[in-house]
Amino acid sequence: MVIMLSFITQAHAEKPDEIYKSCRLTGYFDGNKEKLYADLAARLSVAKGIKKDATCDASYDSGYTAGESAKKDSKLKSDTDKRIQIEASEFKKKIQDAVLHSAGLI
């Protein structure tokens, strides 16, 4: 029973990388000068109860650097920056789909 409980706990626990994804996305959209999406990602951090701490700040900085690079030239070099750009694209798509769905357009 104890072993089963530990597996269930591990399955539901978010990894730190996922917990601070909203901080990273806020940074990306700030760096890319997309205020609407930056504000939405920041609201997600608040909703998740993420406080400004060193991990959130580092995630934000990483996202900001990637967003700034993407704004200057769309060709990102590092795998981390590419992964952040993919996360940002997925986030935008989810927001856009939700808006269109709630408007009854899809």
Side-chain angles (χ1 to χ4, degrees):
M1 186 69 154
V2 172
I3 294 170
M4 206 170 176
L5 184 59
S6 76
F7 282 120
I8 292 170
T9 304
Q10 289 175 358
H12 290 291
E14 279 188 283
K15 296 177 184 175
D17 190 53
E18 284 298 310
I19 293 170
Y20 290 98
K21 183 178 185 177
S22 57
C23 298
R24 195 167 47 251
L25 289 172
T26 302
Y28 179 88
F29 291 121
D30 275 344
N32 205 13
K33 308 297 185 232
E34 295 185 70
K35 183 156 177 41
L36 172 67
Y37 293 109
D39 289 348
L40 290 170
R43 288 193 67 193
L44 182 58
S45 292
V46 171
K48 288 177 119 183
I50 297 172
K51 296 184 168 92
K52 279 297 240 175
D53 60 17
T55 305
C56 184
D57 289 344
S59 294
Y60 176 91
D61 291 343
S62 177
Y64 189 89
T65 301
E68 201 172 41
S69 295
K71 179 110 177 118
K72 288 179 184 173
D73 58 13
S74 60
K75 201 166 199 176
L76 298 174
K77 294 172 182 79
S78 81
D79 288 340
T80 301
D81 288 354
K82 289 175 187 174
R83 181 178 55 84
I84 293 170
Q85 187 177 40
I86 290 168
E87 288 176 344
S89 294
E90 291 170 351
F91 181 80
K92 283 175 73 170
K93 184 177 180 337
K94 285 180 183 179
I95 298 299
Q96 292 165 353
D97 287 350
V99 169
L100 292 173
H101 182 73
S102 67
L105 299 172
I106 59 171

